[in-house]
Amino acid sequence: MTHEIAVIPGDGIGQEVTPAAVEVLESLDIDFEFAEAEAGDAVKAETGEALPQETYDLAASADATLFGAAGDTAADVILPLRGAVDSFVNVRPAKAYPGVDAVRPETDLVFLRENTEGVYAGHEDRLTQDVSTLTRVVTESASERLAEFACDYVSGDEHDGFTVAHKANVMRETDGLFRDTVRDVADENGVETDEVLMDAFATRVCLDPTQFDVVVCPNLAGDVLSDLAAGLVGGLGLLPSANIGPERALFEPVHGTAPDIAGEGVANPAATIVSAAMLLEYLGYDDQAAAVNEAVEATLADGPRTPDLGGGASTEDVTEAIIDRL
Ligand code: GGG
């Protein structure tokens, strides 16, 4: 069976780490057909459009999409691309790797981030020179969809329920609805939950990440708190993500374009390669996904390593080392 994979590198180091992950996928004995398309700042400068229609259509029809990174045009690129696959949840695992210098080596978390609304729903206005506003949207239906996914996600032996991170003591209507809906769905499914205010979560997870396992959160909180967790495990070069929809999905590293190192060939490809492993698992290639994860883990433990992890290796050196281990 052939799988069509849309490849959208985007900007900055997306142009370096996405081809690295494609090289890894190509090294496996799976019938992939890759179709590349443009999105982001560079194509906007050329054509006036950050997300050409053909790129959107490709993501909306491919079996899965591998995306790199978005910069200034993130709102015009990532949000509609997630919409193209009707992605209602962004799965962001944050775990420390053996041998990698981490602030909290005991970290092993998964964020399930609401992916369609909150403050990322795009209702922003500049009312006057002095005042701009943003409408925060939370719906029962989106919260339910996320909660049902979370209940399925924790249904095996590995997890004892999940934590809901919110700020319902201040945003009573929006996060109140989010928290109550998620809790009700969990109760109906017999799934244990606890809850934490998201600001308290930020402190507690730094002090002792083992207090948490699966964390369900609204959109912005999930974006910020998972980046915070990246800081605990050795940096953004290590965090993958999966944007899951009912029929298709889009995989991307958590990091952005990293303009400070873009073009130098030293970006850490691990986050994108592990995102590709999530793509493999999504398509049912569990053995190959496990093999890629093991190869990444072994390479991170023994080197070569890119400069973000204290090494001097290039993106290509690390990619080759991972492929050699497969
Ligand atoms: N590959 C992820 C990426 O490009 N991140 C930049 C960014 O601004 N992300 C916002 C988000 O994930 O919602």
Side-chain angles (χ1 to χ4, degrees), residues 67-70 74 78-79 82 92 113 120 223 252-256:
F67 176 70
I78 312 186
L79 304 188
R82 290 175 184 155
R92 292 186 161 192
R113 165 189 176 193
Y120 284 12
D223 197 9
E252 57 177 325
V254 165
H255 64 69

Side-chain angles (χ1 to χ4, degrees), residues 148-231:
E148 277 156 12
F149 181 92
C151 289
D152 272 0
Y153 192 88
V154 300
S155 66
D157 293 339
E158 214 182 307
H159 308 286
D160 295 327
F162 58 79
T163 301
V164 191
H166 59 79
K167 193 68 185 161
N169 60 334
V170 174
M171 296 181 279
R172 294 191 186 105
E173 287 304 329
T174 49
D175 268 16
L177 177 61
F178 178 81
R179 177 200 55 197
D180 294 349
T181 307
V182 172
R183 247 182 1 200
D184 288 351
V185 171
D187 286 349
E188 278 160 27
N189 284 276
V191 170
E192 267 185 50
T193 57
D194 57 8
E195 58 181 282
V196 60
L197 294 174
M198 62 175 79
D199 45 356
F201 174 88
T203 307
R204 285 177 54 190
V205 78
C206 292
L207 294 173
D208 178 10
T210 64
Q211 295 171 71
F212 302 105
D213 175 20
V214 177
V215 185
V216 174
C217 26
N219 203 337
L220 174 63
D223 197 9
V224 174
L225 296 175
S226 55
D227 275 33
L228 183 150

Side-chain angles (χ1 to χ4, degrees), residues 16-326:
E16 298 159 45
V17 293
T18 316
V22 170
E23 269 183 64
V24 171
L25 291 175
E26 279 174 335
S27 75
L28 304 169
D29 190 19
I30 300 176
D31 194 5
F32 285 129
E33 203 171 277
F34 296 100
E36 188 163 332
E38 291 182 306
D41 302 347
V43 68
K44 184 172 179 186
E46 247 173 62
T47 68
E49 271 186 304
L51 185 63
Q53 187 64 43
E54 58 267 28
T55 304
Y56 179 94
D57 291 343
L58 182 67
S61 64
D63 297 313
T65 297
L66 192 60
F67 176 70
D72 288 343
T73 48
D76 305 316
V77 172
I78 312 186
L79 304 188
L81 277 179
R82 290 175 184 155
V85 300
D86 191 16
S87 169
F88 56 90
V89 55
N90 185 204
V91 182
R92 292 186 161 192
K95 69 165 188 172
Y97 285 91
V100 172
D101 200 13
V103 176
R104 289 285 177 209
E106 64 278 37
T107 306
D108 189 0
L109 300 163
V110 178
F111 293 87
L112 302 180
R113 165 189 176 193
E114 200 289 320
N115 218 16
T116 63
E117 51 186 32
V119 290
Y120 284 12
H123 303 297
E124 259 196 316
D125 286 301
R126 182 71 181 252
L127 296 186
T128 67
Q129 179 67 20
D130 188 39
V131 180
S132 52
T133 60
L134 166 63
T135 303
R136 185 166 192 266
V137 179
V138 172
T139 63
E140 192 179 52
S141 49
S143 309
E144 261 173 16
R145 226 174 159 194
L146 173 69
E148 277 156 12
F149 181 92
C151 289
D152 272 0
Y153 192 88
V154 300
S155 66
D157 293 339
E158 214 182 307
H159 308 286
D160 295 327
F162 58 79
T163 301
V164 191
H166 59 79
K167 193 68 185 161
N169 60 334
V170 174
M171 296 181 279
R172 294 191 186 105
E173 287 304 329
T174 49
D175 268 16
L177 177 61
F178 178 81
R179 177 200 55 197
D180 294 349
T181 307
V182 172
R183 247 182 1 200
D184 288 351
V185 171
D187 286 349
E188 278 160 27
N189 284 276
V191 170
E192 267 185 50
T193 57
D194 57 8
E195 58 181 282
V196 60
L197 294 174
M198 62 175 79
D199 45 356
F201 174 88
T203 307
R204 285 177 54 190
V205 78
C206 292
L207 294 173
D208 178 10
T210 64
Q211 295 171 71
F212 302 105
D213 175 20
V214 177
V215 185
V216 174
C217 26
N219 203 337
L220 174 63
D223 197 9
V224 174
L225 296 175
S226 55
D227 275 33
L228 183 150
L232 300 180
V233 302
L236 276 167
L238 298 171
L239 257 61
S241 85
N243 301 278
I244 307 288
E247 286 175 28
R248 32 188 59 84
L250 179 148
F251 301 83
E252 57 177 325
V254 165
H255 64 69
T257 55
D260 52 330
I261 56 162
E264 293 177 16
V266 294
N268 188 345
T272 316
I273 293 173
V274 180
S275 302
M278 293 175 90
L279 178 152
L280 288 166
E281 205 177 322
Y282 173 77
L283 292 176
Y285 296 100
D286 292 3
D287 292 347
Q288 291 89 336
V292 171
N293 282 326
E294 278 163 29
V296 170
E297 200 166 309
T299 304
L300 288 173
D302 297 341
R305 289 182 182 172
T306 43
D308 57 309
L309 299 180
S314 68
T315 308
E316 193 49 39
D317 295 334
V318 175
T319 308
E320 275 173 21
I322 291 169
I323 293 172
D324 285 348
R325 287 182 155 101
L326 283 171

